[in-house]
């Protein structure tokens, strides 16, 4: 006899929500779906999902209700609308949002006796169900453990990182912040290289070792930031300045948008001017925190 899989409801069938629902259907979970615009359920129903006639019907159809809509406020609004229909369900909210959004939604759930976990998806819809994909969760360990096997259908690397739902949201935004910093630098570098006729692929092929070293350097900075100790014997912030000036002048020579590098110079020059030239790059976190 085949194993009975846990029923799941999926609220929100945009690009990501449809991928989540499909992963549950593919894994054999009885899957109830609801979307504000119900036409988006048609393809999923053809694949084996059941369309709920209303949000309330979707909320009461399964012991696990997965929500994936545009942002934390929209998600909270839908949960409030579902109200008592969630009385016998746990909610896993996979909608992006701030730490405050996640905590406010968790507080609403706690006040209404609804088990709650916030999850931060760290992949694109095509990555859902892949062994390499990551979703980090925050909130009730009891709720997470109750649904862990079901949630593991969505990503090979699902894990609870904190009892605080806001921390999971922060982990997601932390990755975004690092990602955009890296991507912006890559785009600037690409503009500079190609303006001089150098192929980006050729550059990248020779940059493997340095990029790996950069990744390792983050570990060094993290330890310094967590201890609040920034001094280094060599290669402190002051040594960055001439290289930043070179990068700026090269950009000017070929007419690049140099705004990103100007921000870098401003941050570093300010810290050096305040007497922190012998500190590591980690010192800049004080300036970011000060706003
Ligand atoms: N796509 C990605 O690569 C990706 C990656 C990681 C995380 N995420 C997160 O996943 C969530 C969904 O993203 P998505 O790419 O699926 O977005 P999307 O394709 O734009 O879908 C948005 C979903 O939210 C619903 N929605 C928006 N406003 C609503 C409202 N006022 N009331 C009810 N439903 C409403 C939409 O319903 P309608 O269909 O009726 O408009 C739709 O189901 C977001 O929080 C996003 O940040 C997405």
């Amino acid at each position: 006899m085949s194993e009975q899989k846990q029923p799941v409801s999926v609220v929100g069938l945009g690009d990501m929500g449809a991928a989540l629902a499909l992963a549950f259907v593919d894994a054999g979970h009885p899957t109830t779906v609801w979307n504000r615009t119900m036409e988006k359920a048609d393809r999923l129903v053809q694949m084996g999902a059941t369309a709920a006639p209303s949000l309330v019907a979707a909320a009461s159809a399964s012991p696990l209700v997965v929500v994936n809509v545009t942002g934390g406020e929209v998600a909270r609004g839908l949960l409030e609308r579902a109200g008592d229909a969630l009385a016998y369900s746990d909610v896993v909210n996979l909608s992006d949002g701030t730490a405050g959004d996640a905590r406010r939604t968790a507080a609403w759930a706690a006040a209404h006796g609804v088990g709650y976990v916030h999850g931060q998806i760290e992949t694109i819809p095509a990555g859902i169900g892949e062994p390499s994909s990551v979703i980090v969760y925050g909130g009730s360990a009891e709720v997470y453990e109750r649904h862990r096997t079901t949630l593991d259908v969505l990503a090979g690397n699902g894990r609870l990182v904190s009892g605080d739902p806001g921390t999971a949201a922060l982990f997601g935004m932390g990755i975004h912040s690092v990602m955009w910093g890296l991507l912006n630098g890559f785009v600037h570098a690409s503009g500079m290289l190609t303006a001089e006729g150098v192929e980006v692929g050729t550059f990248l092929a020779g940059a493997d070792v340095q990029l790996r070293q950069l990744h390792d350097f983050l570990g060094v900075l993290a330890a310094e930031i967590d201890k609040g100790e920034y001094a280094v014997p060599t290669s402190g912030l002051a040594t960055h300045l001439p290289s930043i000036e070179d990068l700026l002048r090269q950009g000017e020579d070929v007419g690049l948008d140099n705004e990103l590098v100007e921000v870098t110079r401003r941050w570093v020059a300010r810290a050096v001017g305040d007497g922190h030239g012998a500190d590591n790059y980690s010192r800049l976190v004080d300036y970011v925190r000060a706003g």
Side-chain angles (χ1 to χ4, degrees), residues 18-145:
L20 301 173
L22 193 57
F24 288 131
V25 170
D26 283 348
H29 291 271
T31 306
T32 301
V33 293
W34 180 86
N35 195 57
R36 177 178 63 174
T37 313
M38 270 316 277
E39 295 80 60
K40 288 190 186 167
D42 292 349
R43 190 175 62 94
L44 288 158
V45 169
Q46 282 167 16
M47 310 290 280
T50 302
S54 66
L55 171 62
V56 164
S60 56
S62 315
L64 172 61
V65 178
V66 171
V67 182
N68 181 258
V69 288
T70 311
E73 287 184 19
V74 173
R76 194 163 56 256
L78 291 177
L79 293 175
E80 285 169 4
R81 263 176 60 196
D84 290 346
L86 290 165
Y88 302 101
S89 311
D90 293 323
V91 169
V92 173
N93 180 13
L94 297 178
S95 313
D96 283 1
T98 64
D101 284 329
R103 290 177 188 136
R104 278 187 289 277
T105 307
W108 177 88
H112 291 78
V114 177
Y116 184 80
V117 165
H118 177 83
Q120 201 67 39
I121 299 173
E122 298 189 3
T123 185
I124 57 175
I128 293 301
E130 294 296 320
S132 61
S133 295
V134 178
I135 302 181
V136 293
Y137 297 94
S140 161
E142 195 186 325
V143 172
Y144 177 70
E145 287 304 330

